[in-house]
Amino acid sequence: MVQKSEQLLHYIESLDIGTKISVRQMAMHQHVSAGTAYRAIKTAKDRGLVATIDRVGTVRTDPRPQTTGARLTFADIVRIISGHVLGGNAGLEKPLDKFVIGAMRNSAMEHYISRNSLLIVGNREEAQMLALGSGAAVLITGGFDTSKRVIDQANAAALPIITSSYDTFTVATMINRALSDQAIRRDILTVASLYTPLEEVSYLQLPATIADYRKLAAASGHRDLPVLSSGGRVVGVAGTATVSGKRDASTIERGMEHHPAVVKTVESVATVNHLMQARDLHLVPVVDDAGQLLGVLTRKMVLAQLQDVPLPERVPNTIPDQLEAALTPQREVPERYAAAYGVATAPVMTNKFGALNVGVLSGVLISAVNKYLSTLGRQNVLVDKLDVNSLRPIQLSARVEIGLRVLDINRRYATFDIDINADKQVAAKAVLTCQLLERN
């Protein structure tokens, strides 16, 4: 029998992409309580079936991206900044490589402008013409318009010229965030891109016996096999450990793990790796929302894929770039530390009180650990846990130093005790644990 939560998820999936959905509307339509509807929408959001959009609400979305590794387009920029296109509509689908803030003379600006870039500038007509002539689009801030000459040039070059009522700093921050988010999305591997499909998978179906398992395991070379109900739902996983000591004539239900861990296609490979490492799993079934088997994912496949991920294509001027650039190794490392790094704070790293933002601090600590582990040849790192205890605010003008003490490093995990010093005084302490991904 399908549970009510699965029925609600099926209802959400049946909605057209872009359909607005609310807790109240869903509760009334499906005759459930508001709490049940809320939990279903939250689960749907976790699976990528819905998303919350500013000034719009919660809408049905497609969890499968249209193109892998797609870049932001100028049309995306118009949407992000709530802009208005003055000309060059034919170039709205062109990709954006970087943006340039035009707070300089034209003669200096031309060295920074390149094709498929975006010049953010005020009502400076000659700068706008310079950008269009160099193959770059233009974003005019402050709500200013432009001349017919510039619009004609934009139309002829098929390069958008956009106006926004926001100031330069605000639009730069919004675009910077979008570029960073897009870079992260490109780097995320999901189960959908990796799992072995059902037609290539060996599995058992009830009623099967221990003898059936041993015969299929020997023929397929796989020691872990999913066990399905007569309707195709995953009900267990049989392995060498679970069938050990069982008679051949016994049913497979006596020699399998009941209620096994399963994953969905929209989950990230990094999340699945964490699950498999934590529970020492060699195989996890991949299922749909009804629990039907779609395929399997093995630990060997996950680790191989995580290790073979190429270095990400860096997007200039993103927040992670700025954090990493601010981190420098210390030449003189105190004996109590395995490594030490200095951080030059910048206004963008602070909160409204002028103190270092705790999220920024966490990012810097992770970067420091990654830098140190890379010196040991450990390039494939996933952070499991980070606990930061702040002792006093870190002010903008402070010189921040990060000292790493190794508590434990083995084949699979590393744990660090971290001191964060500001102007030679301890400002915070942290403990970080991470996975070190290695092929088995």
Side-chain angles (χ1 to χ4, degrees), residues 377-390:
R378 313 302 289 269
Q379 301 285 348
N380 303 293
V381 179
L382 284 176
V383 174
D384 263 352
K385 186 177 182 181
L386 174 60
D387 292 323
V388 181
N389 296 308
S390 179

Side-chain angles (χ1 to χ4, degrees), residues 2-12 21-45:
V2 180
Q3 296 181 354
K4 193 66 178 178
S5 59
E6 292 296 335
Q7 291 179 354
L8 295 177
L9 288 172
H10 286 314
Y11 164 70
I12 293 173
I21 185 171
S22 68
V23 171
R24 182 180 179 184
Q25 172 260 329
M26 185 171 175
M28 294 178 59
H29 188 276
Q30 295 295 300
H31 306 291
V32 297
S33 67
T36 301
Y38 171 78
R39 288 190 292 272
I41 291 176
K42 186 176 186 302
T43 301
K45 182 179 291 186

Side-chain angles (χ1 to χ4, degrees), residues 273-296:
N273 172 74
H274 184 277
L275 169 69
M276 299 182 81
Q277 295 274 27
R279 298 181 56 174
D280 196 25
L281 303 175
H282 295 279
L283 174 144
V284 289
V286 181
V287 301
D288 62 15
D289 290 333
Q292 301 283 319
L293 184 67
L294 299 176
V296 299

Side-chain angles (χ1 to χ4, degrees), residues 342-369:
V343 179
T345 57
V348 73
M349 300 180 182
T350 61
N351 57 28
K352 64 181 180 180
F353 303 109
L356 193 66
N357 184 284
V358 67
V360 171
L361 178 60
S362 298
V364 170
L365 297 181
I366 293 170
S367 293
V369 168

Side-chain angles (χ1 to χ4, degrees), residues 180-201:
S180 181
D181 289 349
Q182 193 72 5
I184 293 170
R185 290 191 185 98
R186 285 205 305 268
D187 295 340
I188 292 177
L189 297 167
T190 62
V191 172
S193 65
L194 191 59
Y195 77 95
T196 302
L198 180 61
E199 56 269 19
E200 301 176 23
V201 171

Side-chain angles (χ1 to χ4, degrees), residues 84-103:
H84 175 65
V85 182
L86 300 176
N89 296 67
L92 284 172
E93 296 306 319
K94 291 182 178 180
L96 169 66
D97 287 340
K98 68 174 184 179
F99 67 86
V100 179
I101 297 176

Side-chain angles (χ1 to χ4, degrees), residues 267-376:
E267 295 183 46
S268 72
V269 174
T271 301
V272 176
N273 172 74
H274 184 277
L275 169 69
M276 299 182 81
Q277 295 274 27
R279 298 181 56 174
D280 196 25
L281 303 175
H282 295 279
L283 174 144
V284 289
V286 181
V287 301
D288 62 15
D289 290 333
Q292 301 283 319
L293 184 67
L294 299 176
V296 299
L297 200 56
T298 66
R299 180 189 289 184
K300 182 178 180 180
M301 295 162 60
V302 169
L303 290 179
Q305 187 65 31
L306 288 175
Q307 286 197 325
D308 290 341
V309 173
L311 291 175
E313 178 185 343
R314 301 306 300 159
V315 178
N317 300 321
T318 61
I319 292 173
D321 289 333
Q322 296 176 34
L323 294 181
E324 187 166 343
L327 192 67
T328 56
Q330 298 291 84
R331 292 184 178 180
E332 297 182 4
V333 180
E335 293 184 1
R336 63 185 182 275
Y337 299 136
Y341 300 90
V343 179
T345 57
V348 73
M349 300 180 182
T350 61
N351 57 28
K352 64 181 180 180
F353 303 109
L356 193 66
N357 184 284
V358 67
V360 171
L361 178 60
S362 298
V364 170
L365 297 181
I366 293 170
S367 293
V369 168
N370 281 330
K371 277 182 175 289
Y372 172 69
L373 288 173
S374 68
T375 65
L376 304 181

Side-chain angles (χ1 to χ4, degrees), residues 132-147:
L132 294 170
S134 302
V138 176
L139 170 56
I140 305 172
T141 58
F144 291 107
D145 208 331
T146 191
S147 68

